[in-house]
Amino acid sequence: MTSPSLVRASASTAPDFADTAVVEWVQQIAETTRPERVVWCDGSVRERDELLRGLVRTGTLLQVNPDLRPYSFVARSHPEDVARVEDRTFLCTERKADAGPTNNWEEPARMRARLDELFQGSMRGRTLYVVPFSIGPIGSPLARLGVQVTDSPYVVVSMGIMTRMGADALRAIRPDTTWVRAAHTVGCPLEPGQADTPWPCNATKYISHFPESREIWSYGSAYGGNALLAKKSFALRIASVLARDEGWLAEHMLILKLTSPDGKVFHLAAAFPSACGKTNLAMLQPTLPGWSVETIGDDIAWMRVDELGRLRAINPEAGFFGVAPGTSTATNPVAMDTMWGNTIFTNVAMREDGDVWWEGMTTTPPSGLVDWQGTPWTPASGRPAAHPNARFTVAARQCPTIASDWEDPAGVVIDAIVFGGRRASNVPLVVEAKSWEHGVFLGATISSERTAASGGTAGELERDPFAMRAFCGYNMADYFGHWLEIGKTMRARGGVPRMFQVNWFRKDDDGSFLWPGFGENIRALAWMTERIRGVVRARDTALGLMPLDGDVNLDGTGVDAGTWAKLNAIDLDRWRAEADSIERFFATFGGRVPEALYRQLHRLRDALGDP
Ligand code: GTP
Ligand code: MN
Ligand code: MN
């Protein structure tokens, strides 16, 4: 670590080791945005403490009762700045076809002109913070560097948790380093004497990505995925383009380490769409004796094929930005333990005793709550106390189940890739892919059923390929092709990991879940390891390889033979309709979907037979 005196939070000149290109870019942004001062962040504890105290002073953060949860804070955002804004998220590539049908496209020159105008003077009266960061352990061959400038100190402290932020990252940027430029402003300049608000932001928002020049420009929001540009914007959208160009994978996946009772270790990477259980699976507490699960990452995986043809994965993040509502000592005790202190909460409710609360934390709400906007709340208020997208931001190293090698610069060798969605019907509990191509087909067709609550027609399928629909920085049809290519590279050097599909969310006719889920999911994972070891056979079905009765240990789950049959039922008529829906989805890419995936679709149809 550098001596903090070199680059103190109050300093305004660049540290002498800063690369000239970084210094020039910061100067350029400062000339456009006209901040009152420029601060180069060093990532020290002292700097963090100063920032947090400043944020409490300005009212952006409230301190949680330190006797109950030390060094923790609550942010209440502007009521219209509470989530990612997909309709304001843009991909700016020279050719529209390179963005594909799943992204909002804009011509780079037009977007640049618009942003130039918006950024003019946008930081007046504020501080411009320079936030150098590494995604992945500094020095790992899989890690990448970036610099975010921002006028939000809340963003700085959050980036300090989610990335390796500070002087060491800045030092790693050399004249020949490719680094990502990430410019962020809340778009809320202050006139002389004008009082600030606790959560400055702008009604106009642009989250713009320029993958061809490796740049991100974010305007108007201070919230999570819109403003912590190292996360979804860089580690997924820009990184997926780097990965395409350089032959690796940047994925919306958790990574976990699974140890069997006889001491054999397996690493799994799993892609589920947002709010479909990644953080929960990464922190799973097995109900089967003798098994253990350790956490490596809960949201993003970067993976590269090594010389022996093995897929090696790192968690590029340093923290968790998890959904708070629904998290409790019953559903995810590991997450609850992780946030014992040193945690920033956003849009949660507060208790009378000064601690935090959200829906699902306890079965009955305590009395005397104040909601996420600071208004007194009772169950009769008719609105949630915590915002449904309330989050906790906490360092991964605080997680009691974090694997000892979670920061290994070489990454861990992935034994299995798992895809899942939220499907009330059709999709069985666990299916093994018959081949890499079949696995890519399963990933490309991940779907969730809309509920009445999520709008649209209830039961209507929403395709979220590889859980990356909102995060792929190029045409997703080409992305499917990239996955097929990675498989070829691995096969040429050795072998490919197994691939599986899971569904924890299948429902009975009465609307109740057929599968107990959470800690019981270990039973499906255990079956996967037995398939990998080659100690159990499988049933060849139209959908893939499925467990033989008795091979998934159900002791103590309460899942009887009838329920097991429902969990594994394949309704041919409904699957024929599903094949039609997949074909319609593929058609949205206008002939760009690789032939191999159409072959998989034809195979599925053949196996289903004629009605
Ligand atoms: P993002 O962080 O937004 O990408 O979402 P995520 O994939 O990490 O989702 P998370 O783990 O936060 O889970 C979201 C919801 O799924 C919560 O309401 C959980 O209670 C629920 N959930 C997770 N695992 C299971 C399970 O095995 N069974 C059931 N029924 N629900 C689950
Ligand atoms: Mn996510
Ligand atoms: Mn999560």
Side-chain angles (χ1 to χ4, degrees):
M1 207 67 240
T2 347
S3 132
S5 63
L6 267 180
V7 269
R8 287 260 299 283
S10 54
S12 62
T13 51
D16 53 9
F17 55 79
D19 184 66
T20 323
V22 177
V23 177
E24 282 171 6
W25 177 68
V26 170
Q27 265 163 5
Q28 199 186 311
I29 304 270
E31 274 160 28
T32 306
T33 58
R34 304 262 158 227
E36 199 169 271
R37 53 183 203 141
V38 175
V39 167
W40 290 71
C41 297
D42 65 359
S44 63
V45 173
R46 174 200 179 119
E47 171 186 274
R48 178 174 181 75
D49 193 55
E50 271 178 36
L51 286 166
L52 287 167
R53 273 185 289 142
L55 282 160
V56 170
R57 242 183 348 259
T58 57
T60 303
L61 294 183
L62 305 168
Q63 181 152 16
V64 176
N65 182 341
D67 294 330
L68 302 174
R69 209 176 289 271
Y71 216 63
S72 297
F73 302 87
V74 170
R76 291 177 184 153
S77 81
H78 187 281
E80 267 128 57
D81 196 21
V82 294
R84 282 188 292 112
V85 281
E86 286 183 17
D87 58 327
R88 303 304 303 161
T89 301
F90 297 89
L91 202 64
C92 310
T93 50
E94 290 300 334
R95 287 178 310 189
K96 185 172 185 187
D98 289 337
T102 57
N103 283 302
N104 300 313
W105 176 80
E106 182 58 272
E107 213 171 275
R110 270 185 67 159
M111 183 60 84
R112 264 179 217 290
R114 201 167 310 159
L115 289 166
D116 271 351
E117 208 170 291
L118 289 168
F119 272 69
Q120 288 298 329
S122 70
M123 296 189 187
R124 274 197 320 273
R126 298 192 183 279
T127 301
L128 181 160
Y129 297 93
V130 185
V131 184
F133 61 88
S134 175
I135 315 193
I138 295 178
S140 164
L142 289 140
R144 292 299 164 128
L145 295 154
V147 180
Q148 175 163 349
V149 297
T150 177
D151 54 4
S152 163
Y154 163 85
V155 166
V156 179
V157 292
S158 302
M159 288 279 288
I161 295 174
M162 296 306 295
T163 71
R164 283 90 178 167
M165 186 274 269
D168 289 348
L170 183 60
R171 213 184 290 277
I173 298 180
R174 316 302 242 143
D176 58 347
T177 309
T178 310
W179 54 279
V180 166
R181 290 155 171 78
H184 171 249
T185 176
V186 294
C188 200
L190 287 172
E191 301 311 327
Q194 186 187 341
D196 204 356
T197 57
W199 188 275
C201 61
N202 196 301
T204 300
K205 292 176 176 56
Y206 282 93
I207 323 298
S208 298
H209 304 76
F210 299 82
E212 285 146 5
S213 54
R214 308 347 187 175
E215 283 171 84
I216 305 155
W217 290 78
S218 168
Y219 181 88
S221 170
Y223 198 85
N226 303 327
L228 311 181
L229 301 182
K231 194 174 170 64
K232 304 295 192 188
S233 285
F234 184 170
L236 288 177
R237 294 194 191 98
I238 298 289
S240 62
V241 176
L242 299 172
R244 174 199 63 189
D245 295 347
E246 301 167 5
W248 49 283
L249 297 167
E251 300 299 327
H252 193 197
M253 289 181 172
L254 68 97
I255 309 169
L256 66 81
K257 176 179 181 175
L258 179 60
T259 309
S260 67
D262 61 346
K264 185 106 174 59
V265 173
F266 302 85
H267 290 102
L268 271 58
F272 308 157
S274 294
C276 290
K278 285 184 300 301
T279 299
N280 276 273
L281 192 66
M283 299 179 181
L284 177 141
Q285 290 290 285
T287 53
L288 274 181
W291 290 83
S292 80
V293 167
E294 290 162 85
T295 310
I296 293 180
D298 82 322
D299 197 53
I300 300 180
W302 283 5
M303 307 194 282
R304 187 189 284 279
V305 183
D306 72 9
E307 318 74 55
L308 298 177
R310 299 169 304 188
L311 196 58
R312 286 193 169 268
I314 61 163
N315 168 13
E317 304 193 276
F320 305 131
F321 184 65
V323 179
T327 309
S328 71
T329 47
T331 58
N332 193 344
V334 174
M336 294 303 286
D337 282 352
T338 304
M339 46 179 133
W340 65 271
N342 303 314
T343 305
I344 297 177
F345 298 91
T346 306
N347 291 340
V348 298
M350 287 190 87
R351 303 159 51 114
E352 223 162 17
D353 62 9
D355 200 2
V356 294
W357 191 83
W358 47 77
E359 276 68 20
M361 187 197 240
T362 52
T363 37
T364 47
S367 59
L369 281 176
V370 172
D371 75 7
W372 64 280
Q373 291 183 287
T375 312
W377 184 94
T378 70
S381 299
R383 58 174 195 275
H387 189 277
N389 192 36
R391 297 266 171 171
F392 56 84
T393 311
V394 66
R397 82 179 100 79
Q398 282 187 205
C399 177
T401 59
I402 200 82
S404 59
D405 55 353
W406 79 281
E407 292 189 283
D408 185 342
V412 297
V413 173
I414 295 297
D415 300 289
I417 293 172
V418 183
F419 298 115
R422 186 182 282 269
R423 291 297 305 266
S425 65
N426 284 24
V427 179
L429 180 72
V430 56
V431 179
E432 182 184 341
K434 296 182 186 184
S435 65
W436 183 265
E437 286 72 20
H438 184 220
V440 172
F441 178 77
L442 295 177
T445 56
I446 289 181
S447 57
S448 287
E449 266 141 9
R450 281 175 192 259
T451 60
S454 71
T457 317
E460 187 188 323
L461 289 188
E462 205 161 39
R463 298 277 160 201
D464 188 354
F466 290 79
M468 283 285 279
R469 189 190 45 78
F471 308 116
C472 184
Y474 61 104
N475 191 311
M476 283 211 92
D478 300 353
Y479 166 93
F480 302 155
H482 182 59
W483 265 83
L484 293 167
E485 281 305 311
I486 292 282
K488 283 185 197 152
T489 307
M490 279 189 287
R491 246 195 325 263
R493 291 184 201 172
V496 294
R498 299 288 183 96
M499 287 160 124
F500 297 88
Q501 178 190 54
V502 297
N503 178 25
W504 313 141
F505 301 95
R506 199 160 182 174
K507 287 185 174 171
D508 210 343
D509 298 333
D510 65 0
S512 61
F513 287 115
L514 288 163
W515 181 248
F518 301 102
E520 306 290 10
N521 293 335
I522 187 64
R523 295 159 193 277
L525 303 190
W527 180 75
M528 292 177 198
T529 67
E530 287 171 358
R531 287 293 301 157
I532 294 167
R533 297 169 88 160
V535 298
V536 291
R537 305 235 317 256
R539 218 150 47 86
D540 195 347
T541 76
L543 306 185
L545 304 170
M546 291 172 60
L548 300 174
D549 290 347
D551 279 350
V552 171
N553 180 343
L554 300 174
D555 297 349
T557 57
V559 173
D560 57 24
T563 306
W564 179 249
K566 287 182 189 171
L567 277 164
N568 289 288
I570 302 174
D571 180 325
L572 294 176
D573 273 337
R574 296 182 71 140
W575 268 97
R576 286 184 200 107
E578 183 113 12
D580 293 343
S581 118
I582 292 171
E583 181 161 18
R584 282 195 299 276
F585 173 64
F586 282 177
T588 62
F589 295 93
R592 208 154 160 154
V593 169
E595 198 42 49
L597 296 189
Y598 276 107
R599 262 199 311 277
Q600 290 297 327
L601 178 59
H602 295 151
R603 250 178 229 178
L604 171 64
R605 281 217 168 99
D606 283 349
L608 295 168
D610 293 325

